[in-house]
Amino acid sequence: MGKTVLIVEDEKAIVEILKFNLQREGYSVLEAMDGEDGLALARAEDPDLILLDVMLPRMNGFDICQTLRSSGCATPIIMLTAREEESDKVFGLESGADDYITKPFSMRELLARVKANIRRRSLDSAQSAPESQLLKVGDVTLDPTAMAVYKRGRSIDVTQKEFDLLARLFSAPGKVCTREELLEKVWNYAYFGDTRTVDVAVRRLREKIEDDPGNPKIILTRRGAGYYCGEG
Ligand code: CA
């Protein structure tokens, strides 16, 4: 079955070129020209991926992203940021987006990222099969079957990528994973991507699962190498 991509973008020319290229790759395309319509369509149609512009009439992309995430929506979201500004990228990832791409973008790169994000998501759904077991580090427990994270028994809201990142670190306690390795395995980037994406995700996760995010005990940094988790 074809995958559906929702484009939320107020520049008609960009919508048209995205639509043309996505349809040519076999995707069904939904489009919204303003933020509120975009949010409503995302909820009504449950697309496989959302391409989300930041600057939109009526509701901006960051707010849409946060609203969707806080209501438990795990659909992959790629933010289309207009400026080359680091703060936009970071803010986008902090609002729960899985990825960002800066305009003007190369269509080839955009299509590669759409594909990678959708594939990642379907692999995860396929893998949530029976015989998984709980992974535990300190007072944080991961349930791969339910894709749930608990701290001292209390459920913690995490995004898909945050879950994948934790699962990768928790499955080999003490083993250091480089940023590049995490980018490749969790975000599926063999060629594209910015290792800063990993740092932002780790920072967000620490805020959710660490007692003191400034002095982490669960996700640890190996200076100059990468990240690892404690032995439990
Ligand atoms: Ca715009």
Side-chain angles (χ1 to χ4, degrees):
M1 203 181 76
K3 300 287 184 185
T4 303
V5 176
L6 168 62
I7 305 168
V8 188
E9 164 66 77
D10 60 326
E11 283 173 63
K12 194 68 188 160
I14 295 180
V15 174
E16 288 308 318
I17 188 144
L18 284 171
K19 191 174 163 183
F20 173 81
N21 282 280
L22 287 164
Q23 287 178 339
R24 201 174 54 177
E25 295 288 313
Y27 297 101
S28 301
V29 173
L30 297 165
E31 53 191 287
M33 303 279 287
D34 75 56
E36 286 181 9
D37 282 356
L39 182 61
L41 258 184
R43 286 177 160 161
E45 301 289 336
D46 190 22
D48 295 290
L49 181 131
I50 303 171
L51 288 172
L52 185 57
D53 185 27
V54 174
M55 299 300 288
L56 288 162
R58 302 216 286 168
M59 185 174 193
N60 75 45
F62 299 134
D63 290 343
I64 294 173
C65 198
Q66 272 171 344
T67 306
L68 285 170
R69 292 299 185 236
S70 64
S71 63
C73 166
T75 305
I77 296 176
I78 302 178
M79 304 285 297
L80 304 172
T81 67
R83 285 159 294 166
E84 208 15 294
E85 281 181 21
E86 194 71 8
S87 62
D88 264 18
K89 297 174 185 172
V90 172
F91 196 37
L93 295 169
E94 285 181 344
S95 65
D98 297 281
D99 202 355
Y100 58 82
I101 194 158
T102 309
K103 295 181 201 171
F105 46 81
S106 112
M107 191 55 66
R108 196 164 148 256
E109 180 176 351
L110 183 129
L111 290 171
R113 293 217 190 168
V114 166
K115 192 174 169 191
N117 277 279
I118 290 180
R119 188 179 55 187
R120 178 78 224 158
R121 178 88 185 118
S122 4
L123 279 179
D124 290 334
S125 320
Q127 279 166 358
S128 36
E131 82 287 2
S132 63
Q133 53 191 29
L134 299 182
L135 300 169
K136 196 163 163 33
V137 173
D139 53 13
V140 176
T141 306
L142 225 80
D143 179 351
T145 307
M147 295 216 306
V149 179
Y150 303 93
K151 183 172 177 74
R152 294 187 201 104
R154 279 187 52 197
S155 171
I156 307 276
D157 274 341
V158 295
T159 66
Q160 183 67 49
K161 296 292 182 214
E162 288 168 348
F163 183 88
D164 294 346
L165 180 59
L166 264 189
R168 183 145 291 270
L169 294 173
F170 275 32
S171 61
K175 177 185 173 291
V176 177
C177 296
T178 65
R179 291 173 174 79
E180 289 76 12
E181 187 183 338
L182 291 169
L183 205 52
E184 184 187 335
K185 303 292 186 196
V186 176
W187 281 265
N188 258 333
Y189 290 166
Y191 311 104
F192 303 119
D194 180 344
T195 52
R196 172 137 181 108
T197 302
V198 178
D199 299 330
V200 171
V202 167
R203 199 170 76 220
R204 294 189 77 222
L205 258 177
R206 281 176 173 159
E207 277 162 15
K208 294 179 179 183
I209 64 170
E210 300 281 357
D211 289 324
D212 175 6
N215 182 23
K217 299 276 190 269
I218 310 286
I219 305 178
L220 307 169
T221 305
R222 175 70 48 84
R223 207 175 251 282
Y227 296 105
Y228 65 107
C229 71
E231 307 267 358

